[in-house]
Structures are given as structure tokens and as C-alpha cells.
């Protein structure tokens, strides 16, 4: 666990989890990388950049009141150089009002059907508008949305090998949601890498006595695409509230969704408006992979990954087509790679309401 050669090899793993389904032996390199980094950093302290990325949610919670100053400093050339971030990258914009703050004042219609929404750290601080549209869409379709008090997802801690912190957060989330979630009131999430941690990493992170609770909770935890697609199949949601105009949508699937879920759920909800035509892009990882594509030493490789299939497909897309992608980093990579605004599938559905 202290070999520079292994560190160099692991450094090129983007934790996309494709090996977990594609490898004949189902070798989970993303988990191996997280464990390796955890052990490696016991004798090789993490850099300031790594610490800031791992503690991203806490940093945002502190600096949110000064979001304008934070955004200015974060995208200044000297800060990027000091942190080892590539000068061509723009960091995500920290919003002045969190999704939680907005939700605390939101007056929704009460319905008999309810869902718990996991307010992940990326939607809460960066993708607030997506979170608002998701809540309004769910409420408009007949669901009361509840957001209990809970910690972050621990996604950044896992990816950077801070497994003690990740374990503590996973334990808290399992205790909180196991007491609330059931097959009648499920837990759903907007950011795939955050919500799918309940299904993938959490059962293996927590102590053995909590593993059964974690696995039971995972059975009633869904991406928002999965939840709506399942409700469509049960005939609880239909096309009647949505536009009938024709539209082409190009969809890029999130890596974790491809492995731990399926692109089919996003395809199902995107096809709910009757005349929407969906083109799922046959591409692997977009190349951003969380913080990977922001880092100075990984930028060129990140762009090469995007240029493999994703970027050419989007450049060849119909002029007036909508581009959709579930992950925060995926949408950012598409914007910077081909200068196209990618919407979350939930935004596409919300915008299609009559």
C-alpha cells in the first residue's frame, strides 16, 4: 500500500465502475482504488487539493454565505495554479441560496403519496435549479416531497480515499433513513453518484451489524429516473400533462447508472412526452469523472476521453435537439467540450409540462 508504481496506476482509474459489470471476473477497481488511497495516505499525507475536494461539501457549507467571493477566487488563474487545477477548467458555480433553504419556504400541494428526496451536496449547492424543478415536477405529478435532515452522501470522501469520514457519514444516513424509508415511501435522489452509494458502497462501508439495514434500505432507494419510470409502468404517471410537440433528445448516461442501474429508466421518462424521440449516445465515460478532469495532470486525458465518442456525437447532433445527462460532472464536461448546455432528464421532463 506504499508503492509509488501502484499509486501511479491507480491514479489513472476514473472510478467509473465499468469494470464491475464489464470484467468477466467483476473486479471492482473503483473500490480497490478507494481502499488503496485510504492505506496509501496513512504514510503519504494527502495534498491540500485532495483535502479540499474530499471536504467539498463542508467547504461549500462554510463559504455559501460568501458565494460571490468564493466563485471569483475559485476561478482565478492563480488559485487554479496553486491548487493544481487546469487553467482551462471553470469550477462549478456555488449558488447563493441552497436547495434546502429554498425548500424550507416552498409551499407544495399535499398528496397521499410521498417520497423522501436525498438532498445531495451537489444539487444542494450547485444544481439548485434542477432540484427545484425535480421537486415541483414530483409534486405536480401527485407526490408530497419530504427532505429530512441528513448529512452529505460521502461521494467525494470515497473517491479520494477518506474512508473513515465516509463510513461515519454512511452510518448516519443508514440510521436516519432506515427509520423512515419503506416500499410505500421510498428514498430517491437526483445526482446518480450520490444516491447510488446507498446501493453500492454503503453496505460494505458500515460495520457488519448495520449491513443488513443498509441492504434493506438499498432495496427502497432509487435514482429519480428509476422512480418515475417505475411509476409510469404502474400507470401512476402518464403522458397527459406533457406537451405533444416533436422533439429530439440526445441522452448521455452516467457511468454509475450504467453499472448500478440502467440507461433504460432515463430513456423511459424522456419518452413520456408522446412525440419525443430519444437518441442514447453510445459512449463511455465523459472524461470528467468527478474531480478527475479538473486536475492539471489529468486534463488532456479527460478531453481525449470526451473526444473518443461523446463529443463527436454531440457535434453531429441535430441543431435544435436537446442534450440530456444526469450527472453534474457530465453536464459540465459537455458544456466545456462542445459548448452545449446539457439538461438533467428531470429538467427535460419539467420543461415539457403543458
Amino acid at each position: 500500500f506504499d508503492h509509488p508504481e501502484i499509486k501511479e496506476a491507480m491514479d489513472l482509474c476514473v472510478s467509473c465502475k465499468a469494470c464491475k459489470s464489464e470484467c468477466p471476473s467483476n473486479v471492482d477497481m473503483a473500490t480497490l482504488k478507494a481502499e488503496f488511497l485510504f492505506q496509501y495516505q496513512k504514510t503519504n499525507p494527502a495534498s491540500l487539493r485532495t483535502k479540499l475536494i474530499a471536504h467539498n461539501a463542508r467547504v461549500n457549507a462554510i463559504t455559501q454565505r460568501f458565494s460571490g467571493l468564493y466563485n471569483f477566487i475559485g476561478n482565478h488563474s492563480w488559485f487554479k495554479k496553486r491548487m493544481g487545477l487546469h487553467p482551462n477548467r471553470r469550477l462549478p458555480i456555488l449558488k447563493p441560496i441552497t436547495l434546502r433553504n429554498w425548500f424550507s419556504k416552498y409551499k407544495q400541494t399535499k398528496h397521499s403519496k410521498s417520497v423522501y428526496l436525498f438532498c445531495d451536496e451537489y444539487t444542494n449547492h450547485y444544481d439548485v435549479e434542477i432540484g427545484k424543478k425535480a421537486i415541483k415536477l414530483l409534486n405536480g405529478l401527485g407526490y408530497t416531497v419530504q427532505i429530512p435532515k441528513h448529512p452529505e452522501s460521502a461521494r467525494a470522501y470515497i473517491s479520494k480515499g477518506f474512508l473513515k469520514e465516509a463510513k461515519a457519514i454512511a452510518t448516519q444516513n443508514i440510521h436516519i433513513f432506515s427509520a423512515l424509508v419503506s416500499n410505500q415511501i421510498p428514498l430517491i435522489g437526483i445526482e446518480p453518484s450520490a444516491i447510488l452509494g446507498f446501493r453500492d458502497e454503503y453496505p460494505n462501508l458500515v460495520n457488519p451489524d448495520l449491513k443488513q439495514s443498509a441492504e434493506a434500505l438499498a432495496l427502497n432507494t432509487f435514482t429519480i429516473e428509476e422512480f418515475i419510470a417505475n411509476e409510469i409502468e404502474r400507470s401512476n404517471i402518464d403522458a397527459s400533462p406533457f406537451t405533444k410537440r416533436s422533439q429530439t433528445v440526445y441522452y448521455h448516461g452516467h457511468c454509475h447508472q450504467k453499472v448500478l442501474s440502467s440507461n433504460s429508466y432515463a430513456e423511459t421518462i424522456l419518452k413520456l412526452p408522446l412525440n419525443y424521440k430519444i437518441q442514447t449516445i453510445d459512449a463511455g465515460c465523459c472524461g470528467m469523472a468527478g474531480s478527475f478532469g479538473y486536475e492539471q495532470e489529468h486534463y488532456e486525458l479527460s478531453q481525449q476521453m470526451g473526444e473518443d465518442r461523446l463529443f463527436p456525437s454531440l457535434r453531429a447532433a441535430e441543431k435544435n435537439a436537446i442534450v440530456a445527462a444526469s450527472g453534474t460532472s457530465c453536464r459540465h464536461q459537455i458544456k466545456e467540450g462542445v459548448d452545449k448546455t446539457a439538461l438533467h432528464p428531470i429538467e427535460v421532463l419539467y420543461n415539457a409540462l403543458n
Side-chain angles (χ1 to χ4, degrees), residues 14-82:
V14 295
S15 299
C16 68
K17 299 182 184 285
C19 52
K20 191 169 182 176
S21 61
E22 297 294 332
C23 172
S25 301
N26 303 118
V27 175
D28 187 352
M29 285 303 302
T31 296
L32 289 175
K33 179 180 181 179
E35 180 64 30
F36 172 80
L37 289 175
F38 172 66
Q39 300 294 342
Y40 184 82
Q41 287 165 177
K42 288 180 178 179
T43 51
N44 301 271
S47 66
L48 177 59
R49 181 185 72 184
T50 296
K51 290 176 181 177
L52 286 175
I53 292 171
H55 294 287
N56 176 263
R58 293 185 182 182
V59 172
N60 285 344
I62 294 170
T63 58
Q64 184 260 326
R65 289 173 294 175
F66 317 101
S67 58
L69 179 62
Y70 173 89
N71 292 327
F72 174 78
I73 293 173
N75 281 298
H76 199 284
S77 57
W78 66 261
F79 177 81
K80 294 180 188 178
K81 185 176 181 180
R82 174 70 181 85

Side-chain angles (χ1 to χ4, degrees), residues 137 141 223-239 242 249 251 253 257 261-280 324 326 345-346 348-350 352:
L137 177 67
L141 292 175
T223 66
I224 195 165
E225 294 94 334
E226 288 174 332
F227 173 75
I228 293 179
N230 290 338
E231 291 296 279
I232 292 171
E233 186 176 344
R234 297 184 185 111
S235 300
N236 291 330
I237 297 174
D238 60 36
F242 299 96
V249 180
Y251 174 68
Q257 278 181 302
S261 178
S262 171
N263 280 342
S264 65
Y265 297 106
E267 293 165 355
T268 296
I269 72 169
L270 289 171
K271 286 189 292 188
L272 186 58
L274 293 177
N275 296 309
Y276 272 36
K277 177 185 175 184
I278 313 306
Q279 296 280 349
T280 299
S326 298
I346 290 303
V348 177
L349 205 56
Y350 177 84

